Amino acid sequence: MAKEKNRKFPHVYVILFIVIIAAALLTYVLPANQYDRQIKDGKETKLIDPNSYHPIDSNPVDPWETLLAIPKGLQEVASIIFFIFIVGGSFNIIQSTGAVEAGIRSLVNALGGKGSGSDWKDGLLLFLIVAAFSFGGSSFGMAEEALVFIPMLVPLAIAMGYDSLTGLALALVGPCAGFTGAFINPFTLQVAQGFVGLPLLSGMGYRIIIFSVQTILAFLFIFWYAQRVKKNPKLSVMYEADQKREKIDLDAKSPFTGQQKLVLIFMVACFALLIFGVNTWGWYIDEIAALFLAMGAISGFIGGKGPSKVAEAFVEGSTALTVGALVVGVARAILVVLTQGGILHTIVHAMAAAVQGLPPFLSAIGMYIVQIIISVIIPSGSGMAAVTMPIMGPLATLLGMTQQTAVLIYQFADGFTNIIIPTSGYLLAGVALAKVPYEKWVKWYAPLFGIFLAVGAVFVIIAQAIAFGPF
């Protein structure tokens, strides 16, 4: 009976295949249309011309091409897939040294230990993690970068008496709050402002208020849930699965060796280099993956592992993430089908047109809803900005809305949905690294998602009312 109940929710692969097939069928129904890219200095830019919408030759995606979309999708996001393999393998090497377990044991005991009544200390630690990740999301666009912390945050959360969902939430919800209320983010805020001609980083005061509210909401929800699970572990939908995980014995008498301390010191140094590399040298997935490959191998040697043991641990860690890593490519196939069938811009144009004609009070909310729907189809923040802002910017003017409000709506739509939609590659990578089924994560995040959406709507209405500017 329990197994039947657990299988009521379709596997994430089943969900994605259904969406891929539906997208292919739409290419037979919807007309193919396209916006041209703007030309600047003789070169095609990512910015579309909102006045260039025109029909193109229909290209229905047949069953064979639908199947081909999956390997094409895997190729397009190969860097993310191999990133997952490398991070999983590297952290397994580090975990095999016992350094993470010993370090977490030492940290939790320093905080008073599990069940010692030190809830305020636990809350302070969770708040610092959420706030740090939220600031990372707002400042340098921390998203995929947070994935590398999941193999540490999950066992830390479990050791503190919480569950794996709490650990995963720290790595996903924190950056999400920062992305949503971003006041610096160069990949979303600054890109969108540039597309509509706003001064970069304008409107920062209101955005800092939004950032603060979203961060506090994220922390309060996570802490409320974590305390409930600590009091009654069986409330967690991951209870049975977490019981089967290797536990960190907080009462173990094994020493925190000098080698293990050196491993953790080296890890901290690597994380510092990661932050510096992202901000100063523009590092992204390939560079971060290379750094973690080196970190895993060197940590293994510091921890006393020989070359063969290091290699075995790497393979074991990578293998465990195969299902989750490949699902990222399968999700990408949806965008491949829509683009190949020529209906991606058709859908975006139709949604934008649906907002026209609404009363001024509802126009902002209508655009908000449209952008949220579009974000499911185009999960990339910068990609969605390139496709939608040239359309939504002029539309905002027609609706009596400021360009700054249009950018804010785009931010909300992109940030809130990044960690719930099955087309988000980095979400699927995160649940794979945490070994949490996608459907269980959705069940956990759904109430907070609703809160985020409602609070976002309030901020949008306020922005409309105050003519959030400068224009």
Side-chain angles (χ1 to χ4, degrees):
M1 290 287 290
K3 287 183 178 178
E4 281 185 21
K5 186 176 180 180
N6 288 337
R7 289 178 181 173
K8 282 183 179 179
F9 196 96
H11 191 282
V12 63
Y13 276 116
V14 175
I15 296 171
L16 292 175
F17 277 121
I18 290 173
V19 177
I20 292 170
I21 293 170
L25 292 175
L26 282 176
T27 64
Y28 287 87
V29 178
L30 299 179
N33 292 278
Q34 181 176 298
Y35 287 100
D36 292 332
R37 301 287 179 180
Q38 292 185 16
I39 304 298
K40 186 175 182 180
D41 298 328
K43 295 181 180 179
E44 187 178 76
T45 67
K46 292 182 178 180
L47 185 62
I48 67 172
D49 180 355
N51 298 315
S52 65
Y53 185 71
H54 62 276
I56 58 175
D57 292 338
S58 178
N59 185 34
V61 180
D62 61 38
W64 178 243
E65 291 174 324
T66 303
L67 288 174
L68 282 176
I70 295 174
K72 287 180 179 179
L74 288 164
Q75 293 170 30
E76 288 188 7
V77 292
S79 60
I80 297 177
I81 294 172
F82 287 110
F83 173 77
I84 297 169
F85 283 135
I86 290 172
V87 170
S90 297
F91 264 104
N92 198 58
I93 296 171
I94 296 169
Q95 288 177 328
S96 70
T97 67
V100 173
E101 179 176 344
I104 290 175
R105 185 189 306 123
S106 176
L107 174 62
V108 174
N109 288 333
L111 290 171
K114 174 184 173 183
S116 66
S118 55
D119 288 349
W120 72 270
K121 291 183 179 179
D122 291 356
L124 177 60
L125 177 62
L126 295 183
F127 175 75
L128 291 175
I129 294 173
V130 171
F133 280 18
S134 181
F135 182 77
S138 179
S139 57
F140 64 89
M142 185 183 201
E144 288 88 350
E145 294 86 350
L147 299 179
V148 299
F149 294 94
I150 290 176
M152 289 188 296
L153 290 174
V154 169
L156 171 61
I158 293 174
M160 293 175 70
Y162 306 140
D163 65 351
S164 53
L165 276 168
T166 303
L168 177 60
L170 291 171
L172 294 183
V173 176
C176 167
F179 243 83
T180 303
F183 51 88
I184 301 175
N185 193 331
F187 303 109
T188 55
L189 171 63
Q190 294 187 45
V191 169
Q193 287 183 328
F195 282 161
V196 297
L198 283 166
L200 296 184
L201 304 182
S202 57
M204 183 177 288
Y206 189 50
R207 285 191 172 84
I208 289 177
I209 294 173
I210 296 171
F211 165 80
S212 301
V213 171
Q214 299 295 357
T215 301
I216 292 171
L217 280 176
F219 160 70
L220 290 176
F221 189 87
I222 293 173
F223 185 61
W224 167 78
Y225 171 81
Q227 288 302 306
R228 289 185 68 218
V229 169
K230 190 172 186 177
K231 292 175 182 176
N232 183 4
K234 292 186 178 179
L235 289 176
S236 169
V237 294
M238 289 299 295
Y239 176 74
E240 292 182 7
D242 286 347
Q243 295 305 303
K244 298 174 184 177
R245 292 176 186 260
E246 290 187 14
K247 297 293 189 301
I248 295 176
D249 185 2
L250 299 178
D251 300 318
K253 303 301 181 183
S254 56
F256 192 7
T257 68
Q259 279 184 316
Q260 292 172 336
K261 291 177 181 178
L262 283 175
V263 169
L264 294 184
I265 291 172
F266 179 67
M267 284 179 60
V268 171
C270 287
F271 282 123
L273 179 58
L274 165 65
I275 295 171
F276 183 80
V278 169
N279 285 283
T280 306
W281 298 325
W283 280 7
Y284 194 50
I285 286 182
D286 289 346
E287 291 82 2
I288 296 172
L291 175 63
F292 275 86
L293 185 61
M295 182 179 74
I298 295 173
S299 294
F301 296 141
I302 294 174
K305 301 288 181 181
S308 294
K309 290 293 184 182
V310 168
E312 289 172 4
F314 180 83
V315 171
E316 181 184 339
S318 298
T319 302
L321 297 177
T322 301
V323 174
L326 294 180
V327 79
V328 177
V330 177
R332 183 70 174 195
I334 299 168
L335 188 58
V336 172
V337 169
L338 294 176
T339 304
Q340 186 173 332
I343 64 171
L344 177 60
H345 288 182
T346 302
I347 294 172
V348 172
H349 179 80
M351 289 181 175
V355 180
Q356 291 181 317
L358 289 175
F361 179 75
L362 294 177
S363 60
I365 297 300
M367 185 181 289
Y368 182 41
I369 294 171
V370 165
Q371 283 280 35
I372 288 171
I373 296 172
I374 293 173
S375 71
V376 178
I377 305 170
I378 312 174
S380 166
S382 57
M384 186 167 77
V387 172
T388 64
M389 291 315 299
I391 303 169
M392 296 302 180
L395 180 61
T397 301
L398 294 174
L399 296 173
M401 190 186 310
T402 65
Q403 300 298 296
Q404 198 75 268
T405 301
V407 171
L408 185 67
I409 289 171
Y410 150 77
Q411 280 182 255
F412 287 164
D414 175 57
F416 294 145
T417 59
N418 272 341
I419 57 172
I420 194 170
I421 56 175
T423 51
S424 172
Y426 103 88
L427 165 63
L428 299 179
V431 297
L433 286 167
K435 299 178 183 177
V436 171
Y438 168 75
E439 65 271 15
K440 292 188 176 181
W441 167 254
V442 170
K443 182 178 180 180
W444 183 93
Y445 179 60
L448 181 56
F449 180 57
I451 294 171
F452 276 159
L453 289 179
V455 172
V458 171
F459 279 124
V460 167
I461 292 172
I462 293 173
Q464 173 78 328
I466 64 174
F468 184 34
F471 55 82

